[in-house]
């Protein structure tokens, strides 16, 4: 509304006009707050659904765990790979053996010795 029209209003009309302006602002504020709350709720629900789906995917493919073993006489990394490796998660035995070597700080073709402690990874569908 232009300033000339406002100057021509009586006090009663001016108060009424200002009340209407305040009412509209409050309605807009309530609408904005409600919209933001609805948007936040949708975002939280979406995030929860994505997280739940990710957890289910991990459970279906198995969870990665680590266990400690004591090397027995005659054990080799290839035999340990046969025992603990999951072919769904490693492309070949060499990839698994490389991870075991890296985790246990074994260099090159270092031989295993009886009584040596190693940490080896394995996969399980059970959640511990």
């Amino acid at each position: 509304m232009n300033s000339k029209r406002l100057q021509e209003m009586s006090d009663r009309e001016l108060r009424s006009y200002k009340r209407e302006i305040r009412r509209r602002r409050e309605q807009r504020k309530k609408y904005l707050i409600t919209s933001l709350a609805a948007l936040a709720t949708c975002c939280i629900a979406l995030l929860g659904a994505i997280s739940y789906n990710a957890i289910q995917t991990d459970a279906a493919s198995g969870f990665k765990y680590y266990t400690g073993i004591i090397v027995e006489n005659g054990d080799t990394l290839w035999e340990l790979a046969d025992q603990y490796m999951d072919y769904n998660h490693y492309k070949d035995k060499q990839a698994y053996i490389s991870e075991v070597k890296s985790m246990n700080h074994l260099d090159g073709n270092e031989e295993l010795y009886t009584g040596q402690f190693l940490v080896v990874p394995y996969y399980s569908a059970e959640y511990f």
Side-chain angles (χ1 to χ4, degrees):
M1 188 174 278
N2 62 27
S3 62
K4 187 174 181 184
R5 172 74 178 120
L6 287 175
Q7 289 174 353
E8 292 174 359
M9 287 183 165
S10 68
D11 284 344
R12 184 176 183 181
E13 290 173 326
L14 189 58
R15 280 194 308 270
S16 176
Y17 175 74
K18 288 181 178 180
R19 255 193 319 270
E20 181 64 24
I21 297 287
R22 271 195 305 270
R23 189 182 63 76
R24 286 182 185 170
R25 284 182 184 158
E26 288 174 7
Q27 283 179 335
R28 272 190 247 137
K29 189 187 291 185
K30 286 179 185 177
Y31 176 75
L32 180 64
I33 290 171
T34 303
S35 298
L36 289 175
L39 180 64
T41 302
C42 289
C43 288
I44 290 170
L46 181 62
L47 182 62
I50 290 170
S51 298
Y52 180 74
N53 189 27
I55 290 170
Q56 288 220 323
T57 301
D58 282 347
S61 64
F63 294 98
K64 187 173 188 176
Y65 295 102
Y66 302 90
T67 189
I69 61 165
I70 304 293
V71 175
E72 295 179 6
N73 190 22
D75 280 349
T76 66
L77 289 172
W78 288 91
E79 291 170 346
L80 294 174
D82 286 335
Q83 201 172 0
Y84 292 97
M85 182 179 148
D86 184 344
Y87 284 95
N88 293 327
H89 296 91
Y90 295 96
K91 63 180 181 179
D92 57 21
K93 280 188 185 181
Q94 191 58 48
Y96 181 82
I97 290 171
S98 294
E99 183 176 351
V100 170
K101 282 182 174 182
S102 174
M103 288 171 38
N104 292 284
H105 307 289
L106 301 175
D107 297 327
N109 293 328
E110 187 174 319
E111 295 291 321
L112 300 181
Y113 56 89
T114 303
Q116 183 177 6
F117 180 81
L118 295 177
V119 175
V120 294
Y122 70 97
Y123 284 83
S124 175
E126 296 178 27
Y127 180 73
F128 297 110

